[in-house]
PDB file of all heavy atoms in Angstrom:
ATOM      1  N   GLY A   1       0.867  -1.205  -0.019  1.00  0.00           N
ATOM      2  CA  GLY A   1       0.012  -0.033  -0.025  1.00  0.00           C
ATOM      3  C   GLY A   1       0.836   1.157   0.015  1.00  0.00           C
ATOM      4  O   GLY A   1       1.164   1.824  -1.122  1.00  0.00           O
ATOM      5  N   SER A   2       1.168   1.787   1.188  1.00  0.00           N
ATOM      6  CA  SER A   2       1.972   3.008   1.341  1.00  0.00           C
ATOM      7  C   SER A   2       3.460   2.747   1.133  1.00  0.00           C
ATOM      8  O   SER A   2       4.341   3.733   1.070  1.00  0.00           O
ATOM      9  CB  SER A   2       1.732   3.679   2.681  1.00  0.00           C
ATOM     10  OG  SER A   2       2.252   2.849   3.706  1.00  0.00           O
ATOM     11  N   SER A   3       3.765   1.447   1.113  1.00  0.00           N
ATOM     12  CA  SER A   3       5.273   1.046   0.808  1.00  0.00           C
ATOM     13  C   SER A   3       5.479  -0.260   0.068  1.00  0.00           C
ATOM     14  O   SER A   3       4.364  -0.988   0.006  1.00  0.00           O
ATOM     15  CB  SER A   3       6.013   0.959   2.101  1.00  0.00           C
ATOM     16  OG  SER A   3       5.427  -0.144   2.985  1.00  0.00           O
ATOM     17  N   VAL A   4       6.633  -0.448  -0.356  1.00  0.00           N
ATOM     18  CA  VAL A   4       6.961  -1.651  -1.172  1.00  0.00           C
ATOM     19  C   VAL A   4       8.054  -2.405  -0.263  1.00  0.00           C
ATOM     20  O   VAL A   4       9.065  -1.823   0.027  1.00  0.00           O
ATOM     21  CB  VAL A   4       7.371  -1.512  -2.631  1.00  0.00           C
ATOM     22  CG1 VAL A   4       7.793  -2.690  -3.160  1.00  0.00           C
ATOM     23  CG2 VAL A   4       6.243  -0.725  -3.372  1.00  0.00           C
ATOM     24  N   HIS A   5       7.809  -3.622   0.117  1.00  0.00           N
ATOM     25  CA  HIS A   5       9.046  -4.322   0.712  1.00  0.00           C
ATOM     26  C   HIS A   5       9.721  -5.098  -0.408  1.00  0.00           C
ATOM     27  O   HIS A   5       9.122  -6.055  -1.004  1.00  0.00           O
ATOM     28  CB  HIS A   5       8.335  -5.360   1.671  1.00  0.00           C
ATOM     29  CG  HIS A   5       7.820  -4.671   2.861  1.00  0.00           C
ATOM     30  ND1 HIS A   5       7.667  -5.367   4.042  1.00  0.00           N
ATOM     31  CD2 HIS A   5       7.524  -3.366   3.151  1.00  0.00           C
ATOM     32  CE1 HIS A   5       7.161  -4.549   4.950  1.00  0.00           C
ATOM     33  NE2 HIS A   5       7.040  -3.276   4.440  1.00  0.00           N
ATOM     34  N   LEU A   6      10.967  -4.702  -0.700  1.00  0.00           N
ATOM     35  CA  LEU A   6      11.834  -5.258  -1.671  1.00  0.00           C
ATOM     36  C   LEU A   6      12.727  -6.253  -0.993  1.00  0.00           C
ATOM     37  O   LEU A   6      13.522  -6.034  -0.127  1.00  0.00           O
ATOM     38  CB  LEU A   6      12.646  -4.249  -2.444  1.00  0.00           C
ATOM     39  CG  LEU A   6      11.890  -3.292  -3.218  1.00  0.00           C
ATOM     40  CD1 LEU A   6      12.894  -2.304  -3.894  1.00  0.00           C
ATOM     41  CD2 LEU A   6      10.958  -3.962  -4.322  1.00  0.00           C
ATOM     42  N   HIS A   7      12.710  -7.571  -1.445  1.00  0.00           N
ATOM     43  CA  HIS A   7      13.734  -8.585  -1.038  1.00  0.00           C
ATOM     44  C   HIS A   7      14.672  -8.697  -2.247  1.00  0.00           C
ATOM     45  O   HIS A   7      14.368  -9.032  -3.350  1.00  0.00           O
ATOM     46  CB  HIS A   7      13.046  -9.961  -0.821  1.00  0.00           C
ATOM     47  CG  HIS A   7      11.983  -9.899   0.277  1.00  0.00           C
ATOM     48  ND1 HIS A   7      12.174 -10.447   1.468  1.00  0.00           N
ATOM     49  CD2 HIS A   7      10.633  -9.341   0.374  1.00  0.00           C
ATOM     50  CE1 HIS A   7      11.123 -10.262   2.286  1.00  0.00           C
ATOM     51  NE2 HIS A   7      10.201  -9.648   1.446  1.00  0.00           N
ATOM     52  N   VAL A   8      15.880  -8.309  -1.954  1.00  0.00           N
ATOM     53  CA  VAL A   8      16.953  -8.104  -2.991  1.00  0.00           C
ATOM     54  C   VAL A   8      18.050  -8.959  -2.720  1.00  0.00           C
ATOM     55  O   VAL A   8      18.366  -9.344  -1.488  1.00  0.00           O
ATOM     56  CB  VAL A   8      17.365  -6.657  -3.281  1.00  0.00           C
ATOM     57  CG1 VAL A   8      16.125  -5.851  -3.557  1.00  0.00           C
ATOM     58  CG2 VAL A   8      18.117  -6.135  -2.018  1.00  0.00           C
ATOM     59  N   ASN A   9      18.876  -9.382  -3.672  1.00  0.00           N
ATOM     60  CA  ASN A   9      20.169 -10.018  -3.456  1.00  0.00           C
ATOM     61  C   ASN A   9      21.261  -9.118  -3.787  1.00  0.00           C
ATOM     62  O   ASN A   9      21.412  -8.550  -4.843  1.00  0.00           O
ATOM     63  CB  ASN A   9      20.163 -11.309  -4.462  1.00  0.00           C
ATOM     64  CG  ASN A   9      21.341 -12.170  -4.297  1.00  0.00           C
ATOM     65  OD1 ASN A   9      22.520 -11.772  -4.403  1.00  0.00           O
ATOM     66  ND2 ASN A   9      21.145 -13.437  -3.871  1.00  0.00           N
ATOM     67  N   ALA A  10      22.029  -8.931  -2.745  1.00  0.00           N
ATOM     68  CA  ALA A  10      23.174  -7.974  -2.963  1.00  0.00           C
ATOM     69  C   ALA A  10      24.488  -8.855  -2.592  1.00  0.00           C
ATOM     70  O   ALA A  10      24.830  -9.120  -1.399  1.00  0.00           O
ATOM     71  CB  ALA A  10      23.086  -6.767  -1.874  1.00  0.00           C
ATOM     72  N   GLY A  11      25.234  -9.174  -3.508  1.00  0.00           N
ATOM     73  CA  GLY A  11      26.590  -9.973  -3.370  1.00  0.00           C
ATOM     74  C   GLY A  11      26.238 -11.327  -2.669  1.00  0.00           C
ATOM     75  O   GLY A  11      26.992 -11.742  -1.905  1.00  0.00           O
ATOM     76  N   GLY A  12      25.144 -11.983  -2.963  1.00  0.00           N
ATOM     77  CA  GLY A  12      24.798 -13.227  -2.404  1.00  0.00           C
ATOM     78  C   GLY A  12      24.061 -13.132  -1.088  1.00  0.00           C
ATOM     79  O   GLY A  12      23.708 -14.126  -0.396  1.00  0.00           O
ATOM     80  N   LYS A  13      23.893 -11.962  -0.596  1.00  0.00           N
ATOM     81  CA  LYS A  13      23.161 -11.639   0.704  1.00  0.00           C
ATOM     82  C   LYS A  13      21.790 -11.251   0.500  1.00  0.00           C
ATOM     83  O   LYS A  13      21.498 -10.340  -0.346  1.00  0.00           O
ATOM     84  CB  LYS A  13      24.055 -10.548   1.467  1.00  0.00           C
ATOM     85  CG  LYS A  13      23.374 -10.204   2.868  1.00  0.00           C
ATOM     86  CD  LYS A  13      23.660 -11.282   3.895  1.00  0.00           C
ATOM     87  CE  LYS A  13      25.062 -11.282   4.308  1.00  0.00           C
ATOM     88  NZ  LYS A  13      25.301 -12.179   5.486  1.00  0.00           N
ATOM     89  N   ASP A  14      20.908 -11.958   1.148  1.00  0.00           N
ATOM     90  CA  ASP A  14      19.400 -11.479   1.133  1.00  0.00           C
ATOM     91  C   ASP A  14      19.203 -10.171   2.047  1.00  0.00           C
ATOM     92  O   ASP A  14      19.625 -10.090   3.140  1.00  0.00           O
ATOM     93  CB  ASP A  14      18.496 -12.467   1.684  1.00  0.00           C
ATOM     94  CG  ASP A  14      18.425 -13.675   0.691  1.00  0.00           C
ATOM     95  OD1 ASP A  14      18.680 -13.547  -0.438  1.00  0.00           O
ATOM     96  OD2 ASP A  14      18.348 -14.867   1.203  1.00  0.00           O
ATOM     97  N   VAL A  15      18.655  -9.078   1.365  1.00  0.00           N
ATOM     98  CA  VAL A  15      18.431  -7.922   2.007  1.00  0.00           C
ATOM     99  C   VAL A  15      16.933  -7.428   1.756  1.00  0.00           C
ATOM    100  O   VAL A  15      16.507  -7.565   0.721  1.00  0.00           O
ATOM    101  CB  VAL A  15      19.449  -6.829   1.406  1.00  0.00           C
ATOM    102  CG1 VAL A  15      19.131  -5.478   2.074  1.00  0.00           C
ATOM    103  CG2 VAL A  15      20.824  -7.217   1.542  1.00  0.00           C
ATOM    104  N   VAL A  16      16.365  -6.878   2.898  1.00  0.00           N
ATOM    105  CA  VAL A  16      15.103  -6.371   2.751  1.00  0.00           C
ATOM    106  C   VAL A  16      15.111  -4.851   2.863  1.00  0.00           C
ATOM    107  O   VAL A  16      15.815  -4.314   3.664  1.00  0.00           O
ATOM    108  CB  VAL A  16      14.123  -6.954   3.934  1.00  0.00           C
ATOM    109  CG1 VAL A  16      12.729  -6.373   3.897  1.00  0.00           C
ATOM    110  CG2 VAL A  16      14.112  -8.392   3.921  1.00  0.00           C
ATOM    111  N   ILE A  17      14.387  -4.128   1.860  1.00  0.00           N
ATOM    112  CA  ILE A  17      14.347  -2.731   1.854  1.00  0.00           C
ATOM    113  C   ILE A  17      12.889  -2.305   1.771  1.00  0.00           C
ATOM    114  O   ILE A  17      12.051  -2.858   1.019  1.00  0.00           O
ATOM    115  CB  ILE A  17      15.058  -2.172   0.603  1.00  0.00           C
ATOM    116  CG1 ILE A  17      16.437  -2.679   0.427  1.00  0.00           C
ATOM    117  CG2 ILE A  17      15.061  -0.688   0.463  1.00  0.00           C
ATOM    118  CD1 ILE A  17      17.182  -2.437  -0.992  1.00  0.00           C
ATOM    119  N   ILE A  18      12.597  -1.273   2.702  1.00  0.00           N
ATOM    120  CA  ILE A  18      11.150  -0.771   2.635  1.00  0.00           C
ATOM    121  C   ILE A  18      11.277   0.606   1.954  1.00  0.00           C
ATOM    122  O   ILE A  18      11.947   1.473   2.279  1.00  0.00           O
ATOM    123  CB  ILE A  18      10.633  -0.564   4.095  1.00  0.00           C
ATOM    124  CG1 ILE A  18      10.553  -1.974   4.763  1.00  0.00           C
ATOM    125  CG2 ILE A  18       9.381   0.048   4.027  1.00  0.00           C
ATOM    126  CD1 ILE A  18      10.125  -1.815   6.270  1.00  0.00           C
ATOM    127  N   VAL A  19      10.504   0.666   0.810  1.00  0.00           N
ATOM    128  CA  VAL A  19      10.546   1.819  -0.100  1.00  0.00           C
ATOM    129  C   VAL A  19       9.174   2.458   0.049  1.00  0.00           C
ATOM    130  O   VAL A  19       8.081   1.862  -0.332  1.00  0.00           O
ATOM    131  CB  VAL A  19      10.798   1.453  -1.462  1.00  0.00           C
ATOM    132  CG1 VAL A  19      10.836   2.643  -2.370  1.00  0.00           C
ATOM    133  CG2 VAL A  19      12.188   0.697  -1.582  1.00  0.00           C
ATOM    134  N   SER A  20       9.065   3.713   0.441  1.00  0.00           N
ATOM    135  CA  SER A  20       7.754   4.403   0.514  1.00  0.00           C
ATOM    136  C   SER A  20       7.380   4.750  -0.905  1.00  0.00           C
ATOM    137  O   SER A  20       8.137   5.175  -1.790  1.00  0.00           O
ATOM    138  CB  SER A  20       7.969   5.685   1.295  1.00  0.00           C
ATOM    139  OG  SER A  20       6.872   6.493   1.117  1.00  0.00           O
ATOM    140  N   THR A  21       6.060   4.541  -1.207  1.00  0.00           N
ATOM    141  CA  THR A  21       5.458   4.845  -2.447  1.00  0.00           C
ATOM    142  C   THR A  21       4.895   6.214  -2.608  1.00  0.00           C
ATOM    143  O   THR A  21       4.369   6.628  -3.544  1.00  0.00           O
ATOM    144  CB  THR A  21       4.352   3.761  -2.796  1.00  0.00           C
ATOM    145  OG1 THR A  21       3.378   3.860  -1.820  1.00  0.00           O
ATOM    146  CG2 THR A  21       5.014   2.450  -2.826  1.00  0.00           C
ATOM    147  N   MET A  22       4.933   7.002  -1.526  1.00  0.00           N
ATOM    148  CA  MET A  22       4.186   8.256  -1.424  1.00  0.00           C
ATOM    149  C   MET A  22       4.754   9.272  -2.455  1.00  0.00           C
ATOM    150  O   MET A  22       4.046  10.087  -2.975  1.00  0.00           O
ATOM    151  CB  MET A  22       4.407   8.905   0.016  1.00  0.00           C
ATOM    152  CG  MET A  22       3.753   7.955   1.225  1.00  0.00           C
ATOM    153  SD  MET A  22       2.176   7.501   0.900  1.00  0.00           S
ATOM    154  CE  MET A  22       1.327   9.131   1.363  1.00  0.00           C
ATOM    155  N   ASP A  23       6.077   9.292  -2.625  1.00  0.00           N
ATOM    156  CA  ASP A  23       6.565  10.156  -3.652  1.00  0.00           C
ATOM    157  C   ASP A  23       7.010   9.580  -4.899  1.00  0.00           C
ATOM    158  O   ASP A  23       7.964  10.065  -5.653  1.00  0.00           O
ATOM    159  CB  ASP A  23       7.875  10.881  -2.928  1.00  0.00           C
ATOM    160  CG  ASP A  23       7.480  11.715  -1.637  1.00  0.00           C
ATOM    161  OD1 ASP A  23       6.402  12.285  -1.646  1.00  0.00           O
ATOM    162  OD2 ASP A  23       8.211  11.543  -0.718  1.00  0.00           O
ATOM    163  N   MET A  24       6.453   8.402  -5.178  1.00  0.00           N
ATOM    164  CA  MET A  24       6.785   7.727  -6.483  1.00  0.00           C
ATOM    165  C   MET A  24       5.676   7.751  -7.367  1.00  0.00           C
ATOM    166  O   MET A  24       4.520   7.593  -6.945  1.00  0.00           O
ATOM    167  CB  MET A  24       7.328   6.298  -6.120  1.00  0.00           C
ATOM    168  CG  MET A  24       8.453   6.104  -5.249  1.00  0.00           C
ATOM    169  SD  MET A  24       8.818   4.370  -4.732  1.00  0.00           S
ATOM    170  CE  MET A  24       9.258   3.716  -6.311  1.00  0.00           C
ATOM    171  N   THR A  25       6.003   7.721  -8.668  1.00  0.00           N
ATOM    172  CA  THR A  25       4.901   7.615  -9.670  1.00  0.00           C
ATOM    173  C   THR A  25       4.553   6.159  -9.902  1.00  0.00           C
ATOM    174  O   THR A  25       5.279   5.245  -9.482  1.00  0.00           O
ATOM    175  CB  THR A  25       5.421   8.157 -11.044  1.00  0.00           C
ATOM    176  OG1 THR A  25       6.417   7.354 -11.523  1.00  0.00           O
ATOM    177  CG2 THR A  25       5.873   9.593 -11.006  1.00  0.00           C
ATOM    178  N   GLY A  26       3.448   5.859 -10.425  1.00  0.00           N
ATOM    179  CA  GLY A  26       2.913   4.485 -10.609  1.00  0.00           C
ATOM    180  C   GLY A  26       3.958   3.767 -11.473  1.00  0.00           C
ATOM    181  O   GLY A  26       4.242   2.481 -11.257  1.00  0.00           O
ATOM    182  N   ALA A  27       4.608   4.366 -12.496  1.00  0.00           N
ATOM    183  CA  ALA A  27       5.601   3.761 -13.277  1.00  0.00           C
ATOM    184  C   ALA A  27       6.827   3.325 -12.575  1.00  0.00           C
ATOM    185  O   ALA A  27       7.401   2.316 -12.762  1.00  0.00           O
ATOM    186  CB  ALA A  27       5.968   4.648 -14.534  1.00  0.00           C
ATOM    187  N   GLN A  28       7.257   4.196 -11.565  1.00  0.00           N
ATOM    188  CA  GLN A  28       8.443   3.878 -10.806  1.00  0.00           C
ATOM    189  C   GLN A  28       8.124   2.703  -9.886  1.00  0.00           C
ATOM    190  O   GLN A  28       8.976   1.860  -9.699  1.00  0.00           O
ATOM    191  CB  GLN A  28       8.771   5.108  -9.962  1.00  0.00           C
ATOM    192  CG  GLN A  28       9.381   6.281 -10.688  1.00  0.00           C
ATOM    193  CD  GLN A  28       9.614   7.561 -10.033  1.00  0.00           C
ATOM    194  OE1 GLN A  28       8.677   7.846  -9.039  1.00  0.00           O
ATOM    195  NE2 GLN A  28      10.754   8.129 -10.015  1.00  0.00           N
ATOM    196  N   VAL A  29       6.922   2.657  -9.290  1.00  0.00           N
ATOM    197  CA  VAL A  29       6.491   1.599  -8.465  1.00  0.00           C
ATOM    198  C   VAL A  29       6.571   0.276  -9.248  1.00  0.00           C
ATOM    199  O   VAL A  29       7.034  -0.828  -8.877  1.00  0.00           O
ATOM    200  CB  VAL A  29       5.212   1.814  -7.747  1.00  0.00           C
ATOM    201  CG1 VAL A  29       4.736   0.508  -7.063  1.00  0.00           C
ATOM    202  CG2 VAL A  29       5.379   3.006  -6.894  1.00  0.00           C
ATOM    203  N   ALA A  30       5.947   0.392 -10.438  1.00  0.00           N
ATOM    204  CA  ALA A  30       5.791  -0.832 -11.420  1.00  0.00           C
ATOM    205  C   ALA A  30       7.149  -1.366 -11.799  1.00  0.00           C
ATOM    206  O   ALA A  30       7.308  -2.613 -12.096  1.00  0.00           O
ATOM    207  CB  ALA A  30       4.887  -0.486 -12.529  1.00  0.00           C
ATOM    208  N   ALA A  31       8.100  -0.445 -11.852  1.00  0.00           N
ATOM    209  CA  ALA A  31       9.534  -0.905 -12.257  1.00  0.00           C
ATOM    210  C   ALA A  31      10.195  -1.826 -11.294  1.00  0.00           C
ATOM    211  O   ALA A  31      11.213  -2.492 -11.558  1.00  0.00           O
ATOM    212  CB  ALA A  31      10.333   0.394 -12.496  1.00  0.00           C
ATOM    213  N   LEU A  32       9.703  -1.775  -9.978  1.00  0.00           N
ATOM    214  CA  LEU A  32      10.330  -2.566  -8.855  1.00  0.00           C
ATOM    215  C   LEU A  32       9.824  -3.982  -8.996  1.00  0.00           C
ATOM    216  O   LEU A  32       9.182  -4.391  -7.986  1.00  0.00           O
ATOM    217  CB  LEU A  32      10.158  -1.881  -7.593  1.00  0.00           C
ATOM    218  CG  LEU A  32      10.751  -0.446  -7.425  1.00  0.00           C
ATOM    219  CD1 LEU A  32      10.346   0.129  -6.138  1.00  0.00           C
ATOM    220  CD2 LEU A  32      12.205  -0.408  -7.652  1.00  0.00           C
ATOM    221  N   THR A  33      10.139  -4.731 -10.034  1.00  0.00           N
ATOM    222  CA  THR A  33       9.601  -6.045 -10.102  1.00  0.00           C
ATOM    223  C   THR A  33      10.736  -7.013 -10.021  1.00  0.00           C
ATOM    224  O   THR A  33      11.986  -6.663 -10.049  1.00  0.00           O
ATOM    225  CB  THR A  33       8.855  -6.241 -11.540  1.00  0.00           C
ATOM    226  OG1 THR A  33       9.829  -5.839 -12.549  1.00  0.00           O
ATOM    227  CG2 THR A  33       7.683  -5.295 -11.575  1.00  0.00           C
ATOM    228  N   THR A  34      10.430  -8.346  -9.976  1.00  0.00           N
ATOM    229  CA  THR A  34      11.400  -9.323  -9.931  1.00  0.00           C
ATOM    230  C   THR A  34      12.422  -9.229 -11.065  1.00  0.00           C
ATOM    231  O   THR A  34      11.985  -9.172 -12.211  1.00  0.00           O
ATOM    232  CB  THR A  34      10.752 -10.709  -9.857  1.00  0.00           C
ATOM    233  OG1 THR A  34       9.911 -10.867  -8.740  1.00  0.00           O
ATOM    234  CG2 THR A  34      11.776 -11.871  -9.760  1.00  0.00           C
ATOM    235  N   GLY A  35      13.722  -9.228 -10.721  1.00  0.00           N
ATOM    236  CA  GLY A  35      14.759  -9.181 -11.777  1.00  0.00           C
ATOM    237  C   GLY A  35      15.306  -7.742 -12.036  1.00  0.00           C
ATOM    238  O   GLY A  35      16.254  -7.624 -12.728  1.00  0.00           O
ATOM    239  N   ALA A  36      14.534  -6.786 -11.506  1.00  0.00           N
ATOM    240  CA  ALA A  36      14.997  -5.452 -11.635  1.00  0.00           C
ATOM    241  C   ALA A  36      16.397  -5.174 -10.863  1.00  0.00           C
ATOM    242  O   ALA A  36      16.683  -5.561  -9.861  1.00  0.00           O
ATOM    243  CB  ALA A  36      14.071  -4.527 -11.189  1.00  0.00           C
ATOM    244  N   ASN A  37      17.270  -4.418 -11.567  1.00  0.00           N
ATOM    245  CA  ASN A  37      18.524  -4.032 -10.941  1.00  0.00           C
ATOM    246  C   ASN A  37      18.420  -2.665 -10.335  1.00  0.00           C
ATOM    247  O   ASN A  37      17.807  -1.761 -10.841  1.00  0.00           O
ATOM    248  CB  ASN A  37      19.619  -3.948 -11.990  1.00  0.00           C
ATOM    249  CG  ASN A  37      20.027  -5.286 -12.728  1.00  0.00           C
ATOM    250  OD1 ASN A  37      20.200  -6.182 -11.859  1.00  0.00           O
ATOM    251  ND2 ASN A  37      19.970  -5.448 -13.980  1.00  0.00           N
ATOM    252  N   VAL A  38      18.811  -2.714  -8.965  1.00  0.00           N
ATOM    253  CA  VAL A  38      18.727  -1.427  -8.181  1.00  0.00           C
ATOM    254  C   VAL A  38      20.102  -1.279  -7.479  1.00  0.00           C
ATOM    255  O   VAL A  38      21.001  -2.111  -7.466  1.00  0.00           O
ATOM    256  CB  VAL A  38      17.547  -1.631  -7.168  1.00  0.00           C
ATOM    257  CG1 VAL A  38      16.267  -1.658  -7.817  1.00  0.00           C
ATOM    258  CG2 VAL A  38      17.859  -2.818  -6.207  1.00  0.00           C
ATOM    259  N   GLN A  39      20.209  -0.044  -6.848  1.00  0.00           N
ATOM    260  CA  GLN A  39      21.276   0.221  -5.986  1.00  0.00           C
ATOM    261  C   GLN A  39      20.704   0.896  -4.781  1.00  0.00           C
ATOM    262  O   GLN A  39      19.782   1.639  -4.861  1.00  0.00           O
ATOM    263  CB  GLN A  39      22.235   1.221  -6.771  1.00  0.00           C
ATOM    264  CG  GLN A  39      22.829   0.497  -7.869  1.00  0.00           C
ATOM    265  CD  GLN A  39      24.059   1.416  -8.504  1.00  0.00           C
ATOM    266  OE1 GLN A  39      25.196   1.507  -7.799  1.00  0.00           O
ATOM    267  NE2 GLN A  39      23.891   2.036  -9.698  1.00  0.00           N
ATOM    268  N   PHE A  40      21.370   0.579  -3.600  1.00  0.00           N
ATOM    269  CA  PHE A  40      20.793   1.142  -2.392  1.00  0.00           C
ATOM    270  C   PHE A  40      21.985   1.722  -1.447  1.00  0.00           C
ATOM    271  O   PHE A  40      23.200   1.403  -1.870  1.00  0.00           O
ATOM    272  CB  PHE A  40      20.068   0.031  -1.478  1.00  0.00           C
ATOM    273  CG  PHE A  40      20.868  -1.000  -1.143  1.00  0.00           C
ATOM    274  CD1 PHE A  40      21.649  -0.920   0.147  1.00  0.00           C
ATOM    275  CD2 PHE A  40      20.899  -2.214  -1.734  1.00  0.00           C
ATOM    276  CE1 PHE A  40      22.471  -2.066   0.628  1.00  0.00           C
ATOM    277  CE2 PHE A  40      21.674  -3.347  -1.368  1.00  0.00           C
ATOM    278  CZ  PHE A  40      22.376  -3.209  -0.195  1.00  0.00           C
ATOM    279  N   ALA A  41      21.608   2.606  -0.502  1.00  0.00           N
ATOM    280  CA  ALA A  41      22.587   3.269   0.248  1.00  0.00           C
ATOM    281  C   ALA A  41      21.870   3.465   1.698  1.00  0.00           C
ATOM    282  O   ALA A  41      20.720   3.186   1.834  1.00  0.00           O
ATOM    283  CB  ALA A  41      22.992   4.540  -0.294  1.00  0.00           C
ATOM    284  N   PHE A  42      22.676   3.799   2.665  1.00  0.00           N
ATOM    285  CA  PHE A  42      22.291   4.102   3.995  1.00  0.00           C
ATOM    286  C   PHE A  42      23.111   5.070   4.632  1.00  0.00           C
ATOM    287  O   PHE A  42      24.259   5.222   4.204  1.00  0.00           O
ATOM    288  CB  PHE A  42      22.047   2.786   4.836  1.00  0.00           C
ATOM    289  CG  PHE A  42      23.346   1.885   4.701  1.00  0.00           C
ATOM    290  CD1 PHE A  42      24.398   2.178   5.395  1.00  0.00           C
ATOM    291  CD2 PHE A  42      23.367   0.937   3.735  1.00  0.00           C
ATOM    292  CE1 PHE A  42      25.538   1.271   5.316  1.00  0.00           C
ATOM    293  CE2 PHE A  42      24.366   0.075   3.621  1.00  0.00           C
ATOM    294  CZ  PHE A  42      25.537   0.283   4.379  1.00  0.00           C
ATOM    295  N   GLY A  43      22.614   5.778   5.598  1.00  0.00           N
ATOM    296  CA  GLY A  43      23.407   6.814   6.329  1.00  0.00           C
ATOM    297  C   GLY A  43      24.150   6.263   7.521  1.00  0.00           C
ATOM    298  O   GLY A  43      23.871   5.281   8.092  1.00  0.00           O
TER     299      GLY A  43
END
């Protein structure tokens, strides 16, 4: 609903990322599908 829970593989490690959909377009949300390549960061 208000967020997408992404289960991603980063260097053989399973990682869960919670992405808020509040500031995303429908196309951006739809792009987060199985097999999509992404990059992530943290503070």
Side-chain angles (χ1 to χ4, degrees):
S2 61
S3 65
V4 179
H5 289 198
L6 294 181
H7 298 256
V8 306
N9 186 296
K13 177 78 70 175
D14 291 326
V15 180
V16 180
I17 305 172
I18 297 179
V19 182
S20 172
T21 60
M22 302 302 288
D23 299 320
M24 299 174 68
T25 65
Q28 288 174 319
V29 174
L32 299 175
T33 57
T34 300
N37 291 309
V38 296
Q39 296 190 71
F40 66 83
F42 43 83

